[in-house]
């Protein structure tokens, strides 16, 4: 989309009004189904923000998670809160957000992961992200918990192209709210 610019910034670099604009964009894009825990999960990492003029059109963030696979704790860049304003969709802005986030993942993480909605799955698949074919779980305060509802909608991407084998599953660190 002509006249747009993408800004990459850490949460600590975002002013209160920018965070408010991000929250408003997410509330609108997810039809009010984006809770406080969801927003909290999107903070603390790097944000890709696409603007036209002073208007925020698209957003996504990548936050560090630990994921255990085959006995190893991997540094994982987990993609959160990818959204494009309704009147700006189908113009490549989601791809611009993902390109910026993939650059961050490629420079800082062993693996990228995300939990995709049905609507977002085509974007991720078209960019080379793959559905994780193994088990998904979380390392909860009470011990490992399998999350079968996340299986089939969790996508992974490796900067070097070498995805881990599905045997053994992916066990993500625990967080409040929705685990993934």
């Amino acid at each position: 989309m002509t006249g747009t610019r993408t800004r990459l910034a850490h949460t600590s670099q975002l002013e209160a009004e920018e965070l408010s604009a991000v929250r408003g964009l997410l509330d609108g894009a997810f039809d009010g189904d984006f809770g406080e825990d969801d927003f909290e999960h999107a903070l603390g990492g790097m944000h890709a923000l696409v603007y036209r003029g002073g208007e925020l059109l698209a957003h996504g963030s990548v936050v560090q998670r630990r994921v255990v696979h085959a006995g190893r704790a991997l540094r994982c860049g987990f993609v959160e809160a990818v959204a494009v304003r309704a009147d700006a969709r189908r113009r490549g802005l989601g791809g611009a957000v993902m390109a910026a986030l993939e650059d961050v993942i490629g420079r800082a993480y062993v693996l990228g992961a995300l939990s995709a909605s049905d609507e977002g799955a085509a974007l991720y698949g078209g960019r080379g992200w793959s559905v994780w074919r193994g088990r998904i779980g979380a390392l909860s305060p009470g011990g490992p918990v399998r999350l079968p509802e996340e299986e089939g909608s969790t996508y992974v991407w490796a900067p070097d192209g070498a995805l881990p084998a599905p045997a053994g599953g992916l066990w993500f660190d625990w967080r409040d709210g929705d685990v993934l």
Side-chain angles (χ1 to χ4, degrees):
M1 179 181 263
T2 55
T4 62
R5 70 175 174 88
T6 302
R7 177 175 180 228
L8 192 60
H10 189 272
T11 301
S12 66
Q13 297 171 305
L14 299 178
E15 300 295 332
E17 55 272 0
E18 278 183 293
L19 284 171
S20 179
V22 168
R23 182 58 204 238
L25 172 75
L26 295 169
D27 285 341
F30 289 95
D31 296 322
D33 191 27
F34 197 85
E36 285 302 316
D37 285 332
D38 298 318
F39 190 58
E40 176 67 26
H41 296 168
L43 303 177
M46 297 298 293
H47 299 259
L49 305 113
V50 179
Y51 291 94
R52 182 180 57 223
E55 293 184 81
L56 180 63
L57 301 179
H59 170 272
S61 64
V62 62
V63 298
Q64 182 169 310
R65 304 279 309 272
R66 285 292 179 173
V67 61
V68 175
H69 175 267
R72 289 186 53 220
L74 304 176
R75 212 173 47 257
C76 178
F78 203 89
V79 174
E80 294 282 0
V82 175
V84 177
R85 202 170 76 185
D87 64 346
R89 291 183 182 149
R90 306 279 184 249
R91 297 182 186 158
L93 300 181
V97 165
M98 288 304 297
L101 298 179
E102 289 162 358
D103 186 55
V104 171
I105 293 167
R107 293 169 178 257
Y109 299 101
V110 174
L111 182 70
L114 57 85
S115 182
S117 65
D118 291 340
E119 298 80 18
L123 169 65
Y124 309 122
R127 297 191 60 78
W129 289 70
S130 302
V131 173
W132 178 255
R133 299 289 178 204
R135 290 185 175 195
I136 298 290
L139 301 172
S140 79
V145 176
R146 186 166 171 219
L147 302 170
E149 68 277 7
E150 296 293 337
E151 294 169 5
S153 63
T154 299
Y155 283 67
V156 293
W157 179 78
D160 65 3
L163 290 175
L170 294 177
W171 297 88
F172 288 90
D173 54 354
W174 180 260
R175 58 190 186 172
D176 290 334
D178 295 331
V179 177
L180 287 184

